[in-house]
Amino acid sequence: MATDDKDLFKKIVSHAKEYGFVFPSSEIYDGLQAVYDYGPYGAELKKNLKDLWWQSMTRLNENVVGLDAAIFMHPLTWKASGHVDSFNDPMIDNKDSKKRYRADNLIEDYAQRLEAEGKADQAKAVLTEMNQLLEAEKLGELRELIVRENITCPISGTANWTEVRQFNLMFSTEVGSVAEDASKIYLRPETAQGIFVNFLSVQKTARMKVPFGIAQIGKAFRNEIVARQFIFRMREFEQMEMQFFVRPGTEMQWYEHWRDVRVRWHKALGIPADNLRIHPHEKLAHYANAALDIEFKFPFGFKEIEGIHSRTDYDLKRHQEFSKKKQNYFDNDLNEEGKPYGNYVPYVVETSVGADRLFLMTLCNAYTEETVGEGDQQKERIYLKLHPALAPVKAAIFPLVKKDGLPEKAMSIFNDLRYDFNIIYEEQQTIGKRYTRQDLIGTPFCIAVDYETLENDTVTIRYRDTMEQKRVPISALREEIGREVSVSNIFKNL
Ligand code: GAP
């Protein structure tokens, strides 16, 4: 990361903490690595993002319905899905610093350094060798590669490494009140399996016909070896996943459809096209016949925010095998020969986006520093340029002064609008400071009540991005705010 970008990211992280968006978890005990809490404005912003995703999936697609499955699932679920045996990361410890690393991350960071030094060919060769060794599970040779390239620990500076071992990322706990009877269960590492095991129940009860989708938002847990970049890689996070069940043989067409829909969605949220890119996977997971990441240009580089995967019939077939319950769907529609498609296990195309990564992308995209004013009056201004439909607070209402009936008038406007929008009333400090505070949390409108309001029932409305002020009748506020903060502004760009 270049120094400027590093500084920018640091500023965004401290902004998030200082203005009530994201706090380190249990901070009074010095925090818990890779776990974070969302503060008052962060919780609103994250909820707005989740609501928007949910509404786009379930309202804008008549063939997608929702689900809210439990975090705990029968332990066989994770045997069937392959997570017990192969949801691993290769880890390595430095004997001097006692620090643990993901072996692949160490090598990738090294390759990045080579590239920065203009040794792109060498970087490529190292990465190819690493991928081949990972694929073949040759962990001894992976260690040899690290030693041969003299990759050292960033803390101790030595190459005194342990063996490379596989580390399963699932958290486990025990269910049952009597120790002897307790059995081991897992905290789900992805929400998708809750959808797979409910596939037939949803299909039957919601009377869905293939192709159809099931959408879900929920917590997932991974014991990440290295937690990096704030809320980018967490141990407890939230996923928004949609499994789309299709006829075998049509999966590539649906894979391309959902890829395009999801890229459009991110753009409609205000992410510039140049800051998004698609990264097709070269190495496919055992269950996939196509996969790609949608990446966003964070200050620390292009990184994945969402995965689109064509998962074939792998998951449903594995659950069929382990549960001994048929997962077939009878398709009555007629094919080109005029015969019913008949009985089959559907193929699945998945869209999977992390709510926390989406939040981080939104925050990075919104954080704006600019110089305003002229000459001596010039000053730096920081604000969050959030889409009004996503902003945690839609409007703030201020009486100009705390006397002469202005607070009462402002309060009556607040009481009139509070049921329609998340708004706040503020009367402390100068009006300039109150504007600045709202800019910092991304409030799109500030409404000031002054002496003229008492005479003619008009207020000034100040727009966050332009700082322009306009006089409007109180009776026009609901429409003025409502028009701008409506999610339909996003939906119509989809
Ligand atoms: N069901 C497929 C699946 O889980 P994934 O690529 O492992 O695929 C999907 O995860 C998305 O979940 C990622 O694109 C990312 O947004 C989010 N995600 C994964 N691990 C995460 C972590 N440790 N912290 C935050 N978000 C994470």
Side-chain angles (χ1 to χ4, degrees):
M1 211 188 321
T3 317
D4 283 358
D5 294 340
K6 227 184 226 165
D7 283 352
L8 173 65
F9 192 56
K10 267 194 192 153
K11 283 186 202 169
I12 293 170
V13 174
S14 50
H15 190 97
K17 185 175 163 192
E18 191 168 345
Y19 297 105
F21 285 85
V22 182
F23 308 132
S25 157
S26 32
E27 202 186 3
I28 57 167
Y29 295 103
D30 294 333
L32 180 66
Q33 219 200 0
V35 186
Y36 291 89
D37 299 337
Y38 286 83
Y41 305 116
E44 290 283 346
L45 174 57
K46 190 175 179 199
K47 187 176 173 305
N48 291 343
L49 285 165
K50 289 194 293 184
D51 285 352
L52 188 74
W53 182 87
W54 183 263
Q55 288 171 16
S56 329
M57 280 298 174
T58 61
R59 280 200 205 162
L60 302 191
N61 299 291
E62 63 282 3
N63 55 0
V64 177
V65 288
L67 179 75
D68 184 4
I71 288 172
F72 291 146
M73 299 183 70
H74 192 286
L76 272 182
T77 308
W78 305 109
K79 195 78 191 146
S81 67
H83 284 81
V84 170
D85 296 319
S86 54
F87 193 51
N88 299 322
D89 275 343
M91 66 168 189
I92 189 166
D93 293 4
N94 184 271
K95 292 183 195 163
D96 298 320
S97 66
K98 311 271 183 273
K99 269 273 172 199
R100 177 162 292 175
Y101 298 92
R102 262 178 66 170
D104 52 341
N105 285 167
L106 267 184
I107 300 170
E108 280 161 1
D109 288 351
Y110 168 68
Q112 249 179 27
R113 287 198 297 278
L114 286 177
E115 245 189 68
E117 289 165 18
K119 298 175 187 164
D121 287 350
Q122 197 185 337
K124 200 165 168 218
V126 167
L127 289 177
T128 310
E129 188 176 345
M130 176 188 84
N131 283 330
Q132 282 164 353
L133 295 174
L134 283 171
E135 182 103 9
E137 293 236 16
K138 291 185 172 163
L139 301 185
E141 289 176 43
L142 200 64
R143 180 180 183 277
E144 280 167 29
L145 170 67
I146 292 173
V147 174
R148 188 191 76 212
E149 295 293 325
N150 196 25
I151 301 176
T152 54
C153 163
I155 302 206
S156 67
T158 70
N160 194 7
W161 297 110
T162 60
E163 294 305 310
V164 178
R165 282 161 291 158
Q166 287 291 18
F167 177 79
N168 193 287
L169 298 187
M170 279 197 295
F171 283 103
S172 64
T173 185
E174 286 181 348
V175 68
S177 52
V178 185
E180 302 83 70
D181 294 343
S183 57
K184 184 172 173 180
I185 56 164
Y186 297 99
L187 273 70
R188 65 180 176 197
E190 62 169 9
T191 56
Q193 297 304 325
I195 294 180
F196 287 124
V197 300
N198 279 295
F199 153 69
L200 278 180
S201 305
V202 173
Q203 185 269 318
K204 284 179 188 144
T205 54
R207 298 153 55 90
M208 304 307 284
K209 284 174 76 175
V210 167
F212 77 94
I214 305 177
Q216 175 169 225
I217 300 180
K219 290 269 185 174
F221 304 83
R222 295 183 190 178
N223 198 1
E224 300 283 359
I225 301 174
V226 201
R228 284 205 282 199
Q229 279 122 1
F230 190 40
I231 55 171
F232 182 81
R233 196 172 297 286
M234 300 157 91
R235 295 207 166 108
E236 174 182 339
F237 57 100
E238 233 168 328
Q239 285 187 318
M240 307 197 283
E241 299 200 294
M242 196 276 298
Q243 318 299 128
F244 200 71
F245 299 87
V246 305
R247 285 184 190 127
T250 63
E251 69 274 13
M252 286 321 287
Q253 152 200 339
W254 286 109
Y255 172 73
E256 283 161 20
H257 167 82
W258 283 108
R259 173 198 64 199
D260 296 347
V261 169
R262 295 303 301 149
V263 170
R264 271 205 305 278
W265 193 83
H266 293 292
K267 287 186 190 160
L269 256 63
I271 308 297
D274 285 353
N275 289 347
L276 288 171
R277 77 176 186 196
I278 285 189
H279 171 73
H281 288 199
E282 279 150 34
K283 190 175 150 247
L284 291 174
H286 53 283
Y287 52 76
N289 62 3
L292 60 89
D293 296 336
I294 301 174
E295 297 184 336
F296 170 71
K297 192 175 180 197
F298 288 99
F300 44 87
F302 270 104
K303 295 278 175 205
E304 171 187 352
I305 45 161
E306 171 154 7
I308 313 289
H309 311 125
S310 172
R311 291 180 76 132
T312 68
D313 55 0
Y314 177 84
D315 300 87
L316 287 181
K317 283 231 169 109
R318 291 278 291 184
H319 287 305
Q320 176 166 277
E321 185 188 331
F322 279 72
S323 67
K324 310 214 170 9
K325 309 264 173 11
K326 283 233 167 286
Q327 296 299 307
N328 283 44
Y329 167 79
F330 192 83
D331 193 334
N332 274 320
D333 283 358
L334 303 183
N335 61 20
E336 280 161 12
E337 291 159 22
K339 294 187 184 137
Y341 282 97
N343 235 334
Y344 56 80
V345 174
Y347 271 43
V348 172
V349 173
E350 161 184 82
T351 72
S352 174
V353 60
D356 311 272
R357 283 203 194 162
L358 189 60
F359 182 101
L360 186 59
M361 170 174 83
T362 308
L363 200 62
C364 291
N365 190 52
Y367 183 87
T368 311
E369 291 179 347
E370 66 185 25
T371 311
V372 289
E374 310 257 305
D376 297 352
Q377 302 295 310
Q378 234 182 33
K379 58 174 187 174
E380 285 298 309
R381 168 177 183 242
I382 297 176
Y383 67 105
L384 294 186
K385 201 172 182 171
L386 291 166
H387 192 297
L390 297 176
V393 177
K394 306 303 182 197
I397 303 188
F398 309 148
L400 184 65
V401 287
K402 270 198 282 181
K403 57 181 186 180
D404 301 334
L406 296 188
E408 290 76 9
K409 187 72 183 171
M411 207 26 129
S412 78
I413 300 173
F414 173 74
N415 281 329
D416 183 39
L417 295 176
R418 68 194 302 183
Y419 302 107
D420 293 310
F421 312 109
N422 186 30
I423 55 174
I424 53 178
Y425 171 86
E426 181 115 56
E427 57 178 31
Q428 303 300 331
Q429 300 188 305
T430 64
I431 197 136
K433 284 197 174 140
R434 282 180 266 166
Y435 283 147
T436 303
R437 166 134 189 96
Q438 294 309 313
D439 284 350
L440 291 165
I441 61 168
T443 306
F445 308 107
C446 290
I447 294 155
V449 172
D450 54 19
Y451 289 103
E452 200 183 324
T453 312
L454 301 182
E455 285 164 22
N456 62 10
D457 268 344
T458 62
V459 289
T460 51
I461 182 160
R462 174 195 180 262
Y463 298 86
R464 177 196 65 203
D465 299 353
T466 57
M467 295 191 295
E468 271 170 15
Q469 301 195 15
K470 187 169 97 178
R471 196 106 207 149
V472 296
I474 294 172
S475 57
L477 283 175
R478 181 172 278 104
E479 210 219 311
E480 180 82 15
I481 300 171
R483 192 178 52 240
E484 297 293 320
V485 305
S486 166
V487 285
S488 62
N489 291 325
I490 294 180
F491 289 158
K492 68 186 177 212
N493 288 324
L494 287 175

